Amino acid sequence: MIRLPPHAPGMRIGLFGGSFDPPHEGHAHVSQVALRRLALDRLWWLVTPGNPLKQTAGLASLAQRIAAARKLARDPRILVTGLEAEIGARYTADTLRFLHRRCPHVRFVWIMGADNLLQFDRWRDWEEIARTTPIAIVDRPGATFRAMSAKAAQRFSRARLPERAAPLLADAAPPAFVYLHAPRVAQSSTALRSAKLFAGAAALPPEQGGP
């Protein structure tokens, strides 16, 4: 039996998916913005087995990433889960289909950084996602001026709610999305992995036999 994090009919639950390799303060910041501005009851971090749009070579194990995410997610409203691996979901659309069937009376909101909006149209069944689940987009460094020109943003431009209506998003009939401006944290998992690799290479002893 698949065990979901605690939930109840009528709850407003944000869904924040990603590899979390590694989790960092940027994830925590986006989560706090979403919890506060969207008036959510809970936020679930969906630690994915692997992003289909990214290379998975060198990806830390799911158990390691979940453990690290739980250390970072200090807010008791944030719950970390490996649900996607449990249900065998490779794509976000599959996860959302499962959750909407399993929890038909929970008001789910998909949370994404603005950098992900730029490639959202490459996601499997992205239009279905937008038509079945309200979406909150949180501003990210480097994406502020490009996000609203993204294909997905243009496709559903009439579904955009004004930012002041963010607390109403969970109750809105999809398609519906809101763009949240907030102080931005520049950390990214990609940069942290690169820094770790660089530090590891710098720590290696020099090759012997050279000039």
Side-chain angles (χ1 to χ4, degrees):
M1 180 179 293
I2 295 170
R3 300 178 63 181
L4 297 178
H7 62 281
M11 289 187 72
R12 305 153 67 89
I13 297 178
L15 303 171
F16 189 23
S19 300
F20 295 92
D21 184 37
H24 53 75
E25 289 300 331
H27 293 127
H29 173 71
V30 167
S31 299
Q32 289 300 321
V33 170
L35 282 163
R36 182 178 69 255
R37 301 282 299 280
L38 303 173
L40 300 175
D41 299 303
R42 297 286 187 276
L43 194 148
W44 297 356
W45 284 7
L46 303 175
V47 184
T48 179
N51 187 331
L53 295 179
K54 295 181 180 179
Q55 294 291 333
T56 57
L59 184 69
S61 74
L62 181 63
Q64 288 175 319
R65 289 180 284 125
I66 288 176
R70 284 176 174 159
K71 288 183 180 179
L72 179 66
R74 295 177 287 271
D75 190 315
R77 295 172 297 174
I78 299 175
L79 303 171
V80 180
T81 175
L83 169 69
E84 291 187 313
E86 291 186 53
I87 65 176
R90 179 167 170 77
Y91 300 99
T92 295
D94 297 327
T95 304
L96 291 174
R97 290 183 194 117
F98 173 87
L99 288 173
H100 287 310
R101 286 196 305 268
R102 181 74 175 268
C103 315
H105 302 297
V106 171
R107 300 168 186 173
F108 289 114
V109 176
W110 185 258
I111 312 297
M112 70 165 68
D115 49 341
N116 275 316
L117 179 63
L118 297 173
Q119 59 173 355
F120 186 45
D121 61 290
R122 297 175 57 197
W123 293 23
R124 175 72 64 89
D125 297 329
W126 64 277
E127 291 185 318
E128 178 188 336
I129 294 172
R131 291 193 178 102
T132 59
T133 312
I135 298 173
I137 301 146
V138 182
D139 199 15
R140 288 280 291 155
T144 304
F145 299 107
R146 297 185 295 148
M148 286 302 100
S149 63
K151 180 178 179 179
Q154 294 294 311
R155 173 68 182 82
F156 291 102
S157 60
R158 293 186 178 181
R160 184 179 180 182
L161 300 181
E163 194 165 356
R164 64 179 180 278
L168 306 177
L169 181 66
D171 300 314
F177 78 95
V178 67
Y179 193 102
L180 300 177
H181 293 87
R184 294 167 293 176
V185 174
Q187 276 190 329
S188 74
S189 294
T190 301
L192 290 173
R193 286 196 304 273
S194 298
K196 183 177 180 180
L197 289 172
F198 179 80
L204 293 175
E207 293 185 10
Q208 300 298 313

